[in-house]
Amino acid sequence: MSRAEVVEARPGPLWTFGLLRGELVATFRRWRTLALLGVLAAVPVLVGVAVRIETGDGSSVADGGGGAGPAFITQITNNGLFLVFTALAATLPFFLPMAVGVVAGDAIAGEANAGTLRYLLVAPAGRTRLLLTKYATTMAFCLAATLVVAVSALAVGALLFPLGDLTTISGTRIGFAEGLARALLIALVVAASLTGVAALGLFVSTLTNSGVAAMATTVGLLITVQILDQIPQLHAIQPYLFSHHWLSFADLMREPVYWDGLRRNLGLQALYAVVFGSAAWARFTTKDITS
């Protein structure tokens, strides 16, 4: 009976906590989830090693002929903490949302395909409570995936490059402790930036009984939105695409911090979460799970 067997069949906060705990354990024990986290952890390693090799002769990345690269990459050789910002900037456009799309797309459709969805609803969870639990689990993965990238980047940056006070985008100097605090805040903002993708994936997951189809559709929509965001002729609709303000987290490395882009990004993510979360609820509460 899957996770429903290990959660006592009684409603209330304790039951809800047990259901959430079961979902979290099941999600983070899957080999697919561990593989996704492993790939995300490898990205900062590859970036750090590449920068180290490129600058091994004392030249800077900017002088290496490789182009500007992701944001902050020219600063990595001066301070390894910038590898955290670079890794998040490199993974946010595709790797992080793709991983979230896989987990969110499989949330409901995967249970339906495995035949365990009806058993999860035998206990007095209710469809709304189960859907909220699935979304909370997906958001926990968003946070875990972002922190995996940040921690991996911090470890690699400390091993390969010096650490210390750093220079902000505005040219001012801040201490290492403050820089570390801003890195944590940036990681939290990046995780929050994935709430729209999580809600979209959960909605798609309620439309089909095939986990593979739901994951593929979510990733396909992600790629489509990214393409639309790069076409100049579509500038009128681009501010409303969930990916448009993702890189606004760089404003946290300014002195003073620019909050306008961050507010627009988080507000847009909240809007997507409400719209597609409501659509997922409307679909799931009327979905026939007996056929």
Side-chain angles (χ1 to χ4, degrees):
M1 194 180 291
S2 183
R3 292 176 295 282
E5 292 181 336
V6 297
V7 179
E8 293 183 9
R10 63 172 182 267
L14 291 178
W15 194 95
T16 302
F17 176 76
L19 179 63
L20 177 59
R21 182 179 59 186
E23 287 293 334
L24 289 171
V25 170
T27 297
F28 285 96
R29 278 184 176 177
R30 292 193 182 105
W31 285 109
R32 178 178 63 239
T33 303
L34 297 176
L36 289 172
L37 294 176
V39 170
L40 290 172
V43 172
V45 177
L46 295 176
V47 174
V49 171
V51 172
R52 182 64 178 178
I53 293 174
E54 182 71 15
T55 59
D57 59 354
S59 61
S60 67
V61 176
D63 296 333
F72 307 112
I73 197 169
T74 58
Q75 300 291 333
I76 295 176
T77 54
N78 299 323
N79 195 315
L81 189 57
F82 276 102
L83 183 58
V84 177
F85 313 134
T86 301
L88 290 173
T91 55
L92 182 56
F94 183 71
F95 290 105
L96 276 171
M98 181 199 68
V100 172
V102 168
V103 173
D106 190 57
I108 300 296
E111 299 282 7
N113 184 61
T116 56
L117 182 58
R118 68 187 66 184
Y119 295 111
L120 284 172
L121 293 176
V122 167
R127 300 193 181 200
T128 300
R129 187 176 300 181
L130 179 61
L131 190 68
L132 289 174
T133 301
K134 291 288 189 180
Y135 187 68
T137 302
T138 304
M139 290 309 304
F141 176 81
C142 292
L143 180 60
T146 304
L147 291 178
V148 162
V149 174
V151 171
S152 174
L154 181 60
V156 174
L159 287 173
L160 299 181
F161 307 101
L163 296 177
D165 295 349
L166 63 158
T167 304
T168 66
I169 296 177
S170 304
T172 58
R173 298 281 293 181
I174 60 176
F176 177 74
E178 183 179 349
L180 197 59
R182 293 200 188 196
L184 176 59
L185 182 57
I186 285 175
L188 295 177
V189 169
V190 170
S193 299
L194 300 171
T195 55
V197 173
L200 174 61
L202 193 63
F203 169 62
V204 172
S205 189
T206 64
L207 300 178
T208 177
N209 291 334
S210 171
V212 174
M215 289 185 286
T217 300
T218 304
V219 174
L221 288 172
L222 167 66
I223 295 173
T224 300
V225 169
Q226 296 277 43
I227 293 174
L228 294 177
D229 203 19
Q230 300 302 317
I231 300 177
Q233 290 79 2
L234 299 178
H235 63 89
I237 67 169
Q238 287 170 351
Y240 304 101
L241 300 178
F242 58 75
S243 63
H244 188 69
H245 301 290
W246 272 351
L247 297 182
S248 63
F249 73 79
D251 290 338
L252 287 170
M253 283 303 298
R254 299 183 187 275
E255 189 65 39
V257 174
Y258 292 175
W259 295 104
D260 290 346
L262 293 166
R263 282 194 289 263
R264 284 194 294 267
N265 177 40
L266 297 180
L268 187 62
Q269 301 309 320
L271 178 62
Y272 269 85
V274 170
V275 171
F276 286 102
S278 300
W281 175 83
R283 168 61 180 167
F284 188 54
T285 52
T286 59
K287 183 181 178 69
D288 181 10
I289 64 169
T290 61
S291 58

